[in-house]
Amino acid sequence: MNTTAQTLRFNYHAILAIYRFEMARFKRTLWQSIVTPVITTSLYFVVFGAAIGSRMGDIDGIHYGSFIVPGLIMLSLFTESLNNASFGIHMPRFTGTIFEILSAPVSAFEIVLAYVGAAATKSILLGMIILATANLFVPVHIEHPLWMAGFLLLVATTFSLFGFIVGIWAKGFEQLQFVPMLIITPLTFLGGVFYSIDMLPDGWRTFSLFNPIVYVISGFRWSFYGTADVGVGISLAATLVFFLLCLGLVWLIFRTGYRLKS
Protein backbone atom coordinates (compact mmCIF):
# COMPACT_ATOMS: atom_id res chain seq x y z
CA MET A 1 0.00 0.00 0.00
CA ASN A 2 1.39 3.40 -0.96
CA THR A 3 2.05 6.26 1.46
CA THR A 4 -0.85 8.37 0.19
CA ALA A 5 -3.35 5.60 0.87
CA GLN A 6 -1.94 5.09 4.36
CA THR A 7 -2.23 8.83 5.04
CA LEU A 8 -5.88 8.88 3.98
CA ARG A 9 -6.78 5.96 6.25
CA PHE A 10 -8.24 6.73 9.63
CA ASN A 11 -7.14 4.84 12.72
CA TYR A 12 -10.73 4.16 13.76
CA HIS A 13 -9.66 1.90 16.62
CA ALA A 14 -7.63 4.70 18.22
CA ILE A 15 -10.38 7.27 17.73
CA LEU A 16 -12.96 4.93 19.21
CA ALA A 17 -10.69 4.01 22.14
CA ILE A 18 -10.13 7.65 23.14
CA TYR A 19 -13.80 8.49 22.56
CA ARG A 20 -15.00 5.57 24.70
CA PHE A 21 -12.53 6.45 27.46
CA GLU A 22 -13.82 10.03 27.59
CA MET A 23 -17.44 8.91 27.56
CA ALA A 24 -16.69 6.42 30.35
CA ARG A 25 -15.25 9.27 32.43
CA PHE A 26 -18.46 11.16 31.71
CA LYS A 27 -20.51 8.27 33.14
CA ARG A 28 -18.36 8.13 36.26
CA THR A 29 -19.01 11.83 36.95
CA LEU A 30 -22.68 11.76 35.97
CA TRP A 31 -23.79 13.82 38.97
CA GLN A 32 -21.37 16.63 38.21
CA SER A 33 -21.81 16.40 34.43
CA ILE A 34 -25.60 16.15 34.17
CA VAL A 35 -27.46 16.48 37.44
CA THR A 36 -25.75 19.64 38.73
CA PRO A 37 -26.20 21.70 35.50
CA VAL A 38 -29.84 20.59 35.22
CA ILE A 39 -30.57 21.59 38.84
CA THR A 40 -28.83 24.94 38.29
CA THR A 41 -30.81 25.59 35.11
CA SER A 42 -34.05 24.60 36.85
CA LEU A 43 -33.32 27.22 39.51
CA TYR A 44 -32.89 29.81 36.76
CA PHE A 45 -36.36 28.92 35.48
CA VAL A 46 -37.83 29.16 38.98
CA VAL A 47 -36.20 32.52 39.74
CA PHE A 48 -36.18 34.24 36.35
CA GLY A 49 -38.94 32.39 34.53
CA ALA A 50 -41.52 32.26 37.32
CA ALA A 51 -40.69 34.89 39.93
CA ILE A 52 -39.35 37.63 37.66
CA GLY A 53 -40.99 36.54 34.41
CA SER A 54 -44.48 36.84 35.89
CA ARG A 55 -43.78 40.55 36.49
CA MET A 56 -42.41 41.21 33.01
CA GLY A 57 -44.21 41.56 29.72
CA ASP A 58 -43.51 39.54 26.62
CA ILE A 59 -40.32 40.15 24.62
CA ASP A 60 -40.96 40.29 20.87
CA GLY A 61 -44.26 38.56 21.54
CA ILE A 62 -42.59 35.70 23.44
CA HIS A 63 -43.30 34.85 27.07
CA TYR A 64 -40.26 35.78 29.14
CA GLY A 65 -39.83 32.27 30.56
CA SER A 66 -39.76 30.83 27.04
CA PHE A 67 -37.54 33.62 25.77
CA ILE A 68 -34.65 32.71 28.09
CA VAL A 69 -34.66 28.98 27.17
CA PRO A 70 -32.20 29.22 24.20
CA GLY A 71 -29.84 31.41 26.22
CA LEU A 72 -29.82 29.00 29.18
CA ILE A 73 -29.11 26.07 26.86
CA MET A 74 -26.21 28.00 25.35
CA LEU A 75 -24.92 28.96 28.80
CA SER A 76 -24.68 25.29 29.78
CA LEU A 77 -23.34 24.32 26.37
CA PHE A 78 -20.48 26.84 26.52
CA THR A 79 -19.47 25.83 30.03
CA GLU A 80 -19.68 22.07 29.54
CA SER A 81 -17.96 22.07 26.14
CA LEU A 82 -15.06 24.05 27.58
CA ASN A 83 -14.79 22.03 30.77
CA ASN A 84 -15.09 18.61 29.13
CA ALA A 85 -12.60 19.29 26.33
CA SER A 86 -10.06 21.16 28.45
CA PHE A 87 -10.08 18.58 31.27
CA GLY A 88 -10.03 15.71 28.77
CA ILE A 89 -6.74 16.78 27.15
CA HIS A 90 -5.21 18.30 30.29
CA MET A 91 -5.35 15.07 32.28
CA PRO A 92 -3.06 13.15 29.87
CA ARG A 93 -0.61 16.07 30.08
CA PHE A 94 -0.85 16.07 33.87
CA THR A 95 -0.32 12.31 34.23
CA GLY A 96 2.22 12.03 31.41
CA THR A 97 0.15 9.66 29.27
CA ILE A 98 0.12 12.30 26.53
CA PHE A 99 3.50 10.91 25.44
CA GLU A 100 1.95 7.51 24.81
CA ILE A 101 -0.74 9.11 22.65
CA LEU A 102 1.78 11.21 20.71
CA SER A 103 4.05 8.22 20.09
CA ALA A 104 1.18 5.97 18.98
CA PRO A 105 0.24 5.66 15.29
CA VAL A 106 -2.46 8.30 15.68
CA SER A 107 -2.52 11.53 13.71
CA ALA A 108 -3.17 14.96 15.21
CA PHE A 109 -6.50 15.06 13.38
CA GLU A 110 -7.56 11.75 14.92
CA ILE A 111 -6.57 12.89 18.42
CA VAL A 112 -8.54 16.11 18.08
CA LEU A 113 -11.50 14.31 16.50
CA ALA A 114 -11.73 11.88 19.41
CA TYR A 115 -11.37 14.39 22.25
CA VAL A 116 -13.47 17.14 20.66
CA GLY A 117 -16.06 14.62 19.47
CA ALA A 118 -16.49 13.24 22.99
CA ALA A 119 -16.72 16.71 24.54
CA ALA A 120 -19.25 17.86 21.93
CA THR A 121 -21.33 14.70 22.45
CA LYS A 122 -21.50 15.33 26.20
CA SER A 123 -22.49 18.99 25.85
CA ILE A 124 -25.13 18.28 23.17
CA LEU A 125 -26.61 15.56 25.37
CA LEU A 126 -26.75 18.03 28.25
CA GLY A 127 -28.35 20.65 26.00
CA MET A 128 -31.08 18.19 25.01
CA ILE A 129 -31.72 17.30 28.64
CA ILE A 130 -32.01 20.98 29.56
CA LEU A 131 -34.38 21.53 26.64
CA ALA A 132 -36.55 18.69 27.92
CA THR A 133 -36.37 20.14 31.44
CA ALA A 134 -37.43 23.56 30.14
CA ASN A 135 -40.64 22.06 28.80
CA LEU A 136 -41.60 21.19 32.39
CA PHE A 137 -41.58 24.89 33.31
CA VAL A 138 -42.54 26.86 30.20
CA PRO A 139 -43.96 26.20 26.72
CA VAL A 140 -41.15 25.86 24.18
CA HIS A 141 -41.64 26.03 20.42
CA ILE A 142 -38.89 25.27 17.90
CA GLU A 143 -39.71 27.01 14.64
CA HIS A 144 -36.61 25.85 12.74
CA PRO A 145 -35.58 22.43 14.15
CA LEU A 146 -32.97 21.68 11.47
CA TRP A 147 -31.25 25.01 12.08
CA MET A 148 -31.42 24.39 15.83
CA ALA A 149 -29.77 20.97 15.50
CA GLY A 150 -27.10 22.17 13.06
CA PHE A 151 -26.29 25.31 15.04
CA LEU A 152 -26.16 23.34 18.28
CA LEU A 153 -23.66 20.94 16.71
CA LEU A 154 -21.55 23.80 15.33
CA VAL A 155 -21.45 25.68 18.64
CA ALA A 156 -20.69 22.54 20.66
CA THR A 157 -17.85 21.61 18.30
CA THR A 158 -16.46 25.15 18.25
CA PHE A 159 -16.36 25.56 22.01
CA SER A 160 -15.02 22.04 22.45
CA LEU A 161 -12.14 23.02 20.14
CA PHE A 162 -11.68 26.14 22.23
CA GLY A 163 -11.66 24.00 25.38
CA PHE A 164 -9.06 21.71 23.80
CA ILE A 165 -6.84 24.77 23.28
CA VAL A 166 -7.41 25.92 26.88
CA GLY A 167 -6.55 22.43 28.18
CA ILE A 168 -3.20 22.50 26.40
CA TRP A 169 -2.49 26.12 27.37
CA ALA A 170 -3.29 25.66 31.08
CA LYS A 171 -0.38 24.86 33.36
CA GLY A 172 -2.61 23.74 36.23
CA PHE A 173 -6.20 23.06 37.23
CA GLU A 174 -6.62 26.65 38.41
CA GLN A 175 -6.00 27.95 34.90
CA LEU A 176 -8.51 25.46 33.52
CA GLN A 177 -11.24 27.35 35.39
CA PHE A 178 -9.94 30.79 34.48
CA VAL A 179 -11.39 31.06 30.96
CA PRO A 180 -14.85 29.49 31.65
CA MET A 181 -15.49 31.35 34.91
CA LEU A 182 -13.85 34.73 34.36
CA ILE A 183 -14.30 35.21 30.62
CA ILE A 184 -17.00 33.01 29.05
CA THR A 185 -19.58 33.13 31.86
CA PRO A 186 -19.55 36.97 32.20
CA LEU A 187 -19.68 37.38 28.42
CA THR A 188 -22.62 34.96 28.30
CA PHE A 189 -24.60 36.82 30.95
CA LEU A 190 -23.91 40.07 29.06
CA GLY A 191 -24.71 38.41 25.74
CA GLY A 192 -28.50 38.37 25.93
CA VAL A 193 -29.30 35.23 27.92
CA PHE A 194 -31.94 36.99 30.02
CA TYR A 195 -32.78 39.94 27.78
CA SER A 196 -32.80 41.23 24.22
CA ILE A 197 -30.04 43.71 23.47
CA ASP A 198 -32.72 45.81 21.73
CA MET A 199 -33.91 46.66 25.26
CA LEU A 200 -30.60 48.40 25.99
CA PRO A 201 -29.83 52.09 25.37
CA ASP A 202 -28.16 52.78 22.02
CA GLY A 203 -24.67 53.12 23.53
CA TRP A 204 -24.84 49.87 25.45
CA ARG A 205 -26.41 48.08 22.50
CA THR A 206 -23.54 49.14 20.26
CA PHE A 207 -21.07 48.02 22.93
CA SER A 208 -22.83 44.63 23.19
CA LEU A 209 -22.27 44.00 19.48
CA PHE A 210 -18.56 43.60 20.27
CA ASN A 211 -19.45 40.60 22.46
CA PRO A 212 -19.13 37.46 20.27
CA ILE A 213 -21.52 35.53 22.52
CA VAL A 214 -24.35 37.84 21.41
CA TYR A 215 -24.19 36.39 17.90
CA VAL A 216 -24.23 32.79 19.09
CA ILE A 217 -27.20 33.24 21.43
CA SER A 218 -29.07 35.35 18.88
CA GLY A 219 -28.60 32.77 16.12
CA PHE A 220 -29.73 29.96 18.38
CA ARG A 221 -32.78 31.89 19.64
CA TRP A 222 -33.83 32.51 16.03
CA SER A 223 -34.16 28.76 15.52
CA PHE A 224 -36.76 28.68 18.30
CA TYR A 225 -38.87 31.77 17.70
CA GLY A 226 -37.78 33.28 14.39
CA THR A 227 -36.61 36.45 16.12
CA ALA A 228 -33.03 37.60 16.69
CA ASP A 229 -31.04 40.59 17.91
CA VAL A 230 -28.74 40.39 14.88
CA GLY A 231 -29.20 38.83 11.45
CA VAL A 232 -29.07 35.05 11.46
CA GLY A 233 -26.58 35.10 8.58
CA ILE A 234 -24.25 37.32 10.60
CA SER A 235 -24.60 34.99 13.59
CA LEU A 236 -23.67 31.99 11.47
CA ALA A 237 -20.72 33.82 9.88
CA ALA A 238 -19.39 34.96 13.29
CA THR A 239 -19.64 31.42 14.68
CA LEU A 240 -17.90 29.95 11.64
CA VAL A 241 -15.08 32.50 11.95
CA PHE A 242 -14.54 31.48 15.58
CA PHE A 243 -14.65 27.80 14.58
CA LEU A 244 -12.02 28.30 11.88
CA LEU A 245 -9.87 30.36 14.26
CA CYS A 246 -9.93 27.56 16.85
CA LEU A 247 -9.19 25.02 14.14
CA GLY A 248 -6.21 27.07 13.02
CA LEU A 249 -4.88 27.37 16.56
CA VAL A 250 -5.18 23.61 17.11
CA TRP A 251 -3.26 23.01 13.86
CA LEU A 252 -0.58 25.44 15.03
CA ILE A 253 -0.30 23.69 18.40
CA PHE A 254 0.43 20.32 16.80
CA ARG A 255 2.62 21.95 14.16
CA THR A 256 4.86 23.59 16.77
CA GLY A 257 4.37 21.06 19.63
CA TYR A 258 3.32 23.92 21.95
CA ARG A 259 3.14 22.53 25.52
CA LEU A 260 2.43 19.05 24.24
CA LYS A 261 5.83 17.72 25.28
CA SER A 262 6.45 19.84 28.35
Side-chain angles (χ1 to χ4, degrees):
M1 185 176 296
N2 58 44
T3 305
T4 303
Q6 289 177 339
T7 302
L8 293 176
R9 289 187 61 184
F10 279 162
N11 189 340
Y12 293 104
H13 294 291
I15 296 173
L16 192 59
I18 297 174
Y19 181 87
R20 284 179 172 175
F21 178 82
E22 287 299 300
M23 294 305 294
R25 181 170 61 83
F26 173 68
K27 293 177 182 178
R28 291 194 300 270
T29 59
L30 199 61
W31 180 269
Q32 179 182 352
S33 301
I34 294 292
V35 179
T36 301
V38 169
I39 291 175
T40 302
T41 305
S42 299
L43 291 175
Y44 281 131
F45 281 119
V46 171
V47 175
F48 289 93
I52 297 177
S54 60
R55 300 174 181 270
M56 295 185 62
D58 294 347
I59 300 179
D60 295 330
I62 306 165
H63 181 269
Y64 181 74
S66 301
F67 179 83
I68 65 175
V69 170
L72 289 177
I73 293 175
M74 285 289 102
L75 174 61
S76 297
L77 196 77
F78 298 154
T79 305
E80 292 305 307
S81 296
L82 277 166
N83 287 339
N84 286 323
S86 61
F87 190 81
I89 190 60
H90 186 78
M91 278 303 295
R93 291 182 58 235
F94 178 75
T95 59
T97 55
I98 187 68
F99 301 111
E100 298 177 7
I101 298 174
L102 294 174
S103 61
V106 188
S107 69
F109 176 76
E110 291 162 348
I111 294 173
V112 174
L113 182 62
Y115 279 108
V116 171
T121 300
K122 299 173 194 177
S123 56
I124 290 173
L125 177 60
L126 176 62
M128 292 295 96
I129 293 174
I130 290 177
L131 178 59
T133 304
N135 280 274
L136 301 176
F137 295 91
V138 294
V140 179
H141 172 68
I142 303 176
E143 191 169 317
H144 305 282
L146 290 180
W147 174 273
M148 189 275 286
F151 203 69
L152 189 70
L153 177 62
L154 175 61
V155 173
T157 304
T158 300
F159 277 83
S160 294
L161 277 171
F162 186 39
F164 189 88
I165 295 168
V166 171
I168 293 176
W169 163 79
K171 292 183 178 180
F173 292 101
E174 296 81 6
Q175 289 187 341
L176 284 180
Q177 300 299 319
F178 175 81
V179 173
M181 295 188 66
L182 298 181
I183 297 179
I184 298 301
T185 299
L187 286 178
T188 303
F189 278 102
L190 296 174
V193 173
F194 299 107
Y195 59 87
S196 169
I197 65 171
D198 289 335
M199 301 168 64
L200 301 174
D202 290 340
W204 280 106
R205 186 183 187 281
T206 302
F207 180 77
S208 295
L209 293 176
F210 289 95
N211 181 354
I213 301 298
V214 166
Y215 300 92
V216 179
I217 294 177
S218 178
F220 192 61
R221 183 171 284 133
W222 180 86
S223 70
F224 281 73
Y225 310 118
T227 181
D229 292 327
V230 294
V232 65
I234 298 175
S235 297
L236 177 60
T239 308
L240 284 173
V241 167
F242 187 41
F243 170 78
L244 293 175
L245 178 62
C246 290
L247 206 60
L249 287 174
V250 170
W251 175 84
L252 189 63
I253 285 171
F254 279 95
R255 178 78 174 179
T256 60
Y258 174 75
R259 290 195 178 177
L260 286 174
K261 300 178 181 180
S262 61

